Amino acid sequence: MSLNTDIFSTPTLGLVLSFCFKNIEIQTCMRKILLIIVFVVVSIEIAAQNIRGRVTDSRTGEPIAYANVYYEGMPVGVNTDADGNYTLPAIVGKTLVVHFFGYERQTFVVTFDTRSINVKLVEVQLTLKETVVKGRKKKYSRKNNPAVELMKKVIAAKKTTDLHRHAYFSYKMYKKLTFSFNDVSKKTLNEGVFKKMPFLENHVEVCPETGKRILPITFQETTQRQIWRKNPESEKTIITGKREEGLNKFFASGEILNSILADCFTDVNIYEDNIRLLQHQFISPISTKNAISFYRYFIQDTVYVGNDKCIEVTFVPNNPQDFGFSGSLFIMADSTYRVRQSKLLIPHSSDVNFVEQLNVNQEFITLPSGDQVLSSNKMTVQISAIMDMARMQVQLTNDYSDFSIEPLPDKEFRYGGSEYTEPNASLQDNDFWQTMRTDSLTDAEAKMGDMVREFESMKNFNIFLFILKAFVENYVETSGDPHKPSLVDIGPINTIFSHNFIDGFRLRASGQTTAHLNPHLFAKGYVAYGFKDNRVKGMGELTYAFNKRIYQPTEFPMNNLSAMFQSDVMSPSDKFLPTDKDNVFTSFKVTTIDHMMYYNKVGMRYRCEWANGLQFDARFQKERDEGVGAMFYQPLNGSFGPSYDKSAHIRYFHTTDVRVGLTFTPGAKYVNTKQRRILLNNEAPIFSLSHTVGLKTLGGEHTYNLTEATIYKRFWMPSAWGRLDFYFAAGAQWDKVPYPLLIMPAANQSFIVHKRMFCMVNNMEFLNDRYASLMVHWDLNGKIFNRIPLLKKLKWREVVGCNTLWGTLTDKNNPFLNPNDSHLYYFPGHFMPNGSYKYSSHIMENNKPYVELYAGVYNIFKILQIQAVRRLNYLYLPDAKKWGWRVKLELTF
């Protein structure tokens, strides 16, 4: 579960957990989960234990692969691996069942002393549909396999269960998502810091699905209507009720936890070919395209589900390490071949990080129209994090009702976007929730508000919370009282100190107002000082949000007008960084960056978004740049060449421009941190188009027209071969311009992995007025490493990629072809001790793209990624390096 952007977010060692997960690639559900762990269970000692064992044939002694090992009457179970081994949590007092088709079923009662159970299954002879099956086959085969033939019929019958066959359909859904600490012992709550929290024991309850003691700390419940029509095609989710409760309310950005949990633990629909879960894609056991080749199927028995006679079919991935489900499907024993019930699980032996056990139990019903629909979905996920020092549990409950295929009025579809939240959704009273809930809240969920108030009454709790918020949110609130919301936040903390070639050691103080001061008017800014150049820098921005905001102006959808002033120092490539240029970690560079500039700019910006994902962005900006370090501006002067004499240089470079852009991100979902807004679902494509016009007015000295377009799209590869991310960008500078207005590659000069940037290109190394780039990132998700025994055990995963740049400089902008054109400037470079001049910016060769490849290993210690980067060409250029490396801290499922 990874969430994307600013990689390193907090500068102190005591914040290791926070900066590891702070703005890591969107890719990051685990970030907030682990931060809540720091808040509540800093010193929890987990008392959980596992049962291990091996299942073998009693006659031959051979291991029985894919046998079912589960607790009777509970959604907790696993399948044995290829060697017959299994591991699952010990639940004292429960009955453990071991079963495989063709063998006698065996049961065992788990006691406190149970550590391992080795099982020898006894072979039996049974008849199923006049086919005699004796024991198990020595080798799995799809040919003439009755289970495979049955599943082919189930897959073929999928189209008869799709509600989209009708002209309209609608239904209601109640959803509840609860996040708890798992396996919390009484001993733990009576020791250490928890001695001062005796009230916690009153909020501990036993989870009926696992039999373990849990401490719920946050939950969210939602009611919604789903509507669809065929012509014109439109599908909408209308949220009619939404309620949150728990410890996440202590954080201004606390909705992130529930938002990211909801994005990771999504609704499962086995009738779709691919199931998005844990921010990965899993192949459905009844996928039309890949199920038969990806899974192994075994007919177990004929059973009754309610009053319906069903055939139980178990299934497992061909490779247990692949991202796939194990479990059972209960197929109607009639000519419809419909799924009556499904039990899906992801066992601990899979390659999924942190998940000890994931179980999904689903029930399907037949409507009067003959359609088969999902009526209930119950997901229970047991998570182990931080090297098993803390365990959590996520429970998702969905109940579906009021199905209809009757026509719907057009006004139901009038809302823009795919999701609409009714204005009073968050204001629904208890009577509404009592009516809408399909099951009552547990005692701990109902009393969660009491737990929050009990925390608030603790001595020194406000001080502790104040410090923790600074760590978690990268900002310091100016109010230490939870009941007095912060009007101004100080931060981001990770920019307090940094360094660069011009500033040397740099200190910065930053702050921003919140909606608690004014829900429409926002201010932010910073003051910085460089101890090397002894200059003060700063920025100020004032934003008016036409829509009332809850905390900050970047909440979706934006409709904001901003005015800003900034005076600072930067290198030209800093503008491509996805984080602050003076982030303390990204300020460490792989080489010396001495081509820099002081800049002063003022501007206005208007941004407007619509629910369908369309964004309009208009900006007016006036800027004055001054070359510093090795950077200077000198017009061409014929044969004399670049001059070391500053009197030949132009001190200031003035521009005034207007930029207009459109971005379209259909299906985009965002979460807000105090620092920035993060795109939650990276599956959403992103299209952008912009045009910038330079004006000779208000001090501007150059006219120019710059057009740029970008496309981003993620594709999931078949058969669990991971995902491919494509990022294409192209642009053109249409006019004759000096080099500061030419197009340079997005060069990443830090040691940190940054998406959509070139790793081995130097600062301003190539200058173009036409370009196109393609970046391909392939995350194989362990598909190859899982076939290598040692790497399979380490659960390392592989990633490869290729970054390519095509560029050209037309003759009119080539200073080497126009040596006497004073409208053009000498390219950047360095004056050598012997008086010569070495260019550091170059012109790309015709029909010769720049190419770099990278290969990386991630999930090292479940947190570290290391990439090796190889530059393939243009190695003859000065300062070109063939090899490089980058690192990244990232938690992912």
Side-chain angles (χ1 to χ4, degrees):
M1 91 191 95
S2 76
L3 246 180
N4 293 278
T5 17
D6 185 1
I7 314 263
F8 298 96
S9 297
T10 46
T12 61
L13 181 61
L15 309 184
V16 171
L17 286 177
S18 180
F19 89 66
C20 287
F21 318 121
K22 181 65 183 176
N23 287 312
I24 302 176
E25 170 170 27
I26 250 207
Q27 12 93 74
T28 340
C29 173
M30 291 304 297
R31 170 173 68 93
K32 282 295 178 182
I33 293 177
L34 293 176
L35 294 174
I36 296 296
I37 294 171
V38 174
F39 175 64
V40 182
V41 289
V42 177
S43 59
I44 279 189
E45 297 176 2
I46 300 299
Q49 65 185 40
N50 289 325
I51 298 176
R52 293 176 172 82
R54 193 166 188 244
V55 180
T56 57
D57 186 300
S58 63
R59 181 174 59 85
T60 66
E62 292 184 358
I64 300 178
Y66 314 119
N68 294 312
V69 185
Y70 60 93
Y71 285 102
E72 192 169 51
M74 301 180 68
V76 180
V78 296
N79 293 103
T80 57
D81 61 20
D83 297 318
N85 298 312
Y86 72 89
T87 302
L88 82 170
I91 303 179
V92 176
K94 298 298 181 180
T95 299
L96 189 69
V97 180
V98 183
H99 181 219
F100 192 73
F101 182 65
Y103 292 86
E104 290 184 356
R105 180 176 183 267
Q106 293 194 31
T107 61
F108 306 87
V109 176
V110 178
T111 67
F112 284 102
D113 298 326
T114 304
R115 295 293 183 272
S116 65
I117 301 177
N118 294 315
V119 184
K120 295 182 179 180
L121 291 181
V122 178
E123 185 179 0
V124 297
Q125 182 172 312
L126 56 88
T127 301
L128 180 66
K129 290 186 177 180
E130 300 180 355
T131 300
V132 177
V133 181
K134 187 174 182 180
R136 67 185 184 96
K137 293 184 178 181
K138 299 302 180 185
K139 184 178 180 180
Y140 181 84
S141 173
R142 295 181 180 87
K143 187 176 181 180
N144 299 323
N145 186 330
V148 172
E149 296 305 315
L150 174 61
M151 290 308 302
K152 288 180 179 179
K153 294 177 180 179
V154 173
I155 293 170
K158 283 171 56 176
K159 59 186 177 183
T160 65
T161 65
D162 190 356
L163 284 174
H164 294 84
R165 297 181 298 121
H166 302 285
Y168 297 88
F169 72 75
S170 64
Y171 60 83
K172 293 181 180 179
M173 182 176 71
Y174 169 81
K175 176 188 291 189
K176 183 175 71 173
L177 182 67
T178 305
F179 177 53
S180 311
F181 288 102
N182 194 23
D183 229 356
V184 181
S185 68
K186 290 185 177 181
K187 179 182 177 182
T188 297
L189 296 181
N190 291 324
E191 293 179 345
V193 66
F194 296 101
K195 281 186 176 180
K196 300 178 180 180
M197 305 177 192
F199 58 86
L200 288 180
E201 180 62 38
N202 299 328
H203 300 278
V204 174
E205 60 188 14
V206 176
C207 175
E209 286 75 24
T210 66
K212 296 181 180 181
R213 284 166 48 93
I214 61 173
L215 176 63
I217 63 168
T218 181
F219 82 92
Q220 179 189 72
E221 52 184 347
T222 306
T223 60
Q224 62 190 54
R225 289 185 65 232
Q226 198 75 20
I227 60 176
W228 184 86
R229 72 179 175 198
K230 181 176 291 187
N231 188 23
E233 184 173 341
S234 179
E235 186 164 10
K236 306 285 184 182
T237 300
I238 303 173
I239 298 176
T240 56
K242 189 173 183 179
R243 176 172 173 257
E244 296 182 7
E245 191 65 81
L247 301 185
N248 57 322
K249 286 193 171 183
F250 286 127
F251 298 89
S253 54
E255 81 282 353
I256 291 178
L257 176 60
N258 284 332
S259 297
I260 298 179
L261 285 174
D263 184 63
C264 293
F265 304 100
T266 51
D267 303 336
V268 172
N269 182 358
I270 63 170
Y271 279 93
E272 293 182 351
D273 286 342
N274 295 297
I275 298 169
R276 186 177 181 274
L277 184 64
L278 305 175
Q279 295 185 333
H280 292 284
Q281 277 206 352
F282 292 77
I283 294 175
S284 168
I286 57 173
S287 169
T288 304
K289 300 177 181 178
N290 304 305
I292 298 299
S293 61
F294 185 81
Y295 288 104
R296 298 184 179 188
Y297 299 96
F298 307 90
I299 293 178
Q300 293 291 335
D301 208 344
T302 301
V303 298
Y304 278 88
V305 178
N307 296 322
D308 298 315
K309 185 178 181 181
C310 299
I311 301 171
E312 180 184 1
V313 178
T314 61
F315 58 92
V316 293
N318 282 315
N319 186 337
Q321 295 289 118
D322 283 344
F323 277 69
F325 295 106
S326 300
S328 299
L329 297 175
F330 296 83
I331 313 300
M332 299 284 284
D334 55 25
S335 60
T336 65
Y337 298 107
R338 291 177 173 177
V339 177
R340 174 64 176 82
Q341 185 183 76
S342 69
K343 296 183 178 181
L344 313 179
L345 63 90
I346 299 176
H348 186 66
S349 60
S350 74
D351 198 40
V352 181
N353 282 331
F354 311 111
V355 175
E356 286 191 338
Q357 190 80 33
L358 184 148
N359 297 84
V360 182
N361 286 353
Q362 297 184 317
E363 297 282 343
F364 296 83
I365 60 173
T366 302
L367 300 178
S369 61
D371 296 284
Q372 190 86 348
V373 296
L374 180 65
S375 62
S376 68
N377 176 86
K378 181 85 176 220
M379 181 189 299
T380 303
V381 189
Q382 298 183 69
I383 302 171
S384 176
I386 320 180
M387 297 184 179
D388 293 340
M389 289 189 297
R391 288 181 166 86
M392 295 85 71
Q393 177 175 284
V394 177
Q395 283 192 301
L396 173 65
T397 301
N398 293 347
D399 289 300
Y400 305 83
S401 61
D402 293 355
F403 288 90
S404 174
I405 56 174
E406 295 299 317
L408 297 166
D410 290 342
K411 65 179 182 180
E412 295 263 30
F413 298 90
R414 69 183 184 276
Y415 307 110
S418 61
E419 183 175 290
Y420 171 74
T421 302
E422 292 185 348
N424 63 339
S426 299
L427 305 175
Q428 302 288 8
D429 57 20
N430 287 332
D431 291 339
F432 170 86
W433 289 108
Q434 291 290 347
T435 303
M436 299 304 297
R437 288 183 189 123
T438 54
D439 193 8
S440 59
L441 299 178
T442 67
D443 288 343
E445 291 168 345
K447 296 189 296 184
M448 200 168 290
D450 295 338
M451 182 175 67
V452 171
R453 288 184 286 273
E454 287 165 334
F455 268 110
E456 292 175 340
S457 66
M458 290 178 58
K459 184 179 180 181
N460 299 323
F461 175 74
N462 288 345
I463 297 175
F464 171 74
L465 183 62
F466 178 83
I467 297 172
L468 184 65
K469 283 184 176 182
F471 290 173
V472 170
E473 299 180 321
N474 203 25
Y475 277 79
V476 174
E477 295 187 357
T478 54
S479 171
D481 188 344
H483 297 289
K484 295 181 180 179
S486 176
L487 306 181
V488 178
D489 292 340
I490 306 300
I493 293 174
N494 62 355
T495 62
I496 291 178
F497 58 87
S498 60
H499 67 90
N500 61 60
F501 183 80
I502 299 301
D503 278 315
F505 179 71
R506 172 183 170 109
L507 287 178
R508 169 175 150 173
S510 315
Q512 62 186 26
T513 67
T514 75
H516 298 299
L517 181 64
N518 189 303
H520 293 283
L521 192 62
F522 298 84
K524 71 175 182 179
Y526 67 80
V527 176
Y529 182 78
F531 285 82
K532 183 178 177 180
D533 65 352
N534 297 312
R535 288 182 61 160
V536 176
K537 294 90 178 175
M539 186 274 285
E541 181 177 284
L542 193 64
T543 298
Y544 183 81
F546 293 93
N547 300 330
K548 186 177 181 181
R549 305 285 78 176
I550 297 174
Y551 198 87
Q552 54 193 164
T554 56
E555 294 161 10
F556 182 84
M558 288 189 291
N559 186 13
N560 300 343
L561 179 65
S562 302
M564 62 85 65
F565 167 80
Q566 190 171 20
S567 177
D568 210 332
V569 65
M570 66 179 290
S571 72
S573 59
D574 282 344
K575 64 183 178 181
F576 300 108
L577 288 172
T579 182
D580 295 291
K581 66 180 180 60
D582 46 3
N583 181 308
V584 62
F585 296 102
T586 56
S587 66
F588 292 95
K589 305 296 184 182
V590 297
T591 188
T592 300
I593 307 297
D594 56 1
H595 286 89
M596 301 187 71
M597 61 186 186
Y598 291 117
Y599 62 94
N600 291 296
K601 59 184 177 183
V602 295
M604 297 190 69
R605 186 180 186 186
Y606 174 70
R607 285 185 290 177
C608 184
E609 293 176 317
W610 289 267
N612 62 1
L614 182 65
Q615 180 187 112
F616 173 75
D617 189 347
R619 184 206 69 193
F620 168 80
Q621 183 171 282
K622 174 179 167 57
E623 184 170 347
R624 187 193 75 183
D625 299 335
E626 178 185 0
V628 64
M631 191 167 174
F632 63 92
Y633 309 123
Q634 181 184 349
L636 301 181
N637 59 4
S639 60
F640 293 98
S643 173
Y644 191 78
D645 184 0
K646 292 187 176 181
S647 64
H649 301 168
I650 295 175
R651 181 176 182 183
Y652 296 122
F653 186 82
H654 294 272
T655 59
T656 301
D657 60 40
V658 175
R659 179 185 181 276
V660 177
L662 289 174
T663 302
F664 183 48
T665 313
K669 294 182 180 180
Y670 300 94
V671 291
N672 282 282
T673 68
K674 288 186 176 181
Q675 195 163 358
R676 60 178 52 84
R677 186 172 70 175
I678 300 172
L679 180 65
L680 192 61
N681 54 330
N682 288 299
E683 284 76 13
I686 304 174
F687 308 92
S688 72
L689 177 66
S690 67
H691 186 76
T692 305
V693 178
L695 307 172
K696 277 191 175 181
T697 184
L698 299 176
E701 299 173 343
H702 306 275
T703 58
Y704 49 91
N705 286 270
L706 172 65
T707 304
E708 291 188 285
T710 66
I711 300 173
Y712 163 82
K713 184 68 178 79
R714 169 170 291 179
F715 297 93
W716 289 92
M717 301 296 288
S719 300
W721 276 94
R723 61 178 185 261
L724 276 172
D725 289 347
F726 288 86
Y727 179 72
F728 174 79
Q733 174 61 265
W734 304 103
D735 296 282
K736 177 188 287 188
V737 293
Y739 83 81
L741 295 173
L742 294 177
I743 305 168
M744 67 187 72
N748 175 17
Q749 300 294 301
S750 75
F751 290 97
I752 311 303
V753 173
H754 287 304
K755 286 187 173 182
R756 305 172 192 174
M757 297 185 73
F758 293 92
C759 294
M760 302 304 294
V761 174
N762 292 314
N763 183 32
M764 295 191 298
E765 182 173 0
F766 300 115
L767 295 176
N768 305 301
D769 56 13
R770 308 284 191 276
Y771 85 98
S773 66
L774 178 63
M775 298 183 176
V776 181
H777 177 87
W778 188 7
D779 182 348
L780 285 89
N781 211 19
K783 186 68 174 182
I784 297 175
F785 283 5
N786 285 342
R787 274 83 182 155
I788 303 172
L790 176 59
L791 300 182
K792 175 180 177 180
K793 184 175 182 180
L794 292 172
K795 292 192 175 183
W796 287 1
R797 302 173 189 170
E798 64 278 48
V799 61
V800 295
C802 177
N803 298 330
T804 306
L805 172 68
W806 294 266
T808 186
L809 188 65
T810 56
D811 290 350
K812 67 175 180 289
N813 282 318
N814 189 333
F816 303 103
L817 299 180
N818 304 277
N820 297 302
D821 192 337
S822 61
H823 289 93
L824 304 181
Y825 294 176
Y826 287 103
F827 276 8
H830 292 90
F831 291 99
M832 307 307 292
N834 62 3
S836 64
Y837 185 75
K838 182 179 74 172
Y839 286 100
S840 58
S841 295
H842 310 279
I843 300 172
M844 298 187 71
E845 299 178 30
N846 290 332
N847 303 318
K848 183 180 179 180
Y850 167 86
V851 182
E852 65 182 26
L853 303 176
Y854 61 87
V857 179
Y858 72 101
N859 208 39
I860 303 172
F861 309 117
K862 298 185 179 181
I863 191 174
L864 178 64
Q865 178 178 159
I866 300 176
Q867 287 186 6
V869 191
R870 174 65 157 86
R871 176 171 172 159
L872 297 186
N873 53 7
Y874 291 97
L875 295 170
Y876 59 84
L877 295 177
D879 303 321
K881 295 180 180 179
K882 183 182 293 187
W883 289 95
W885 59 274
R886 298 292 185 270
V887 298
K888 183 179 184 179
L889 294 177
E890 176 184 32
L891 276 179
T892 181
F893 273 122

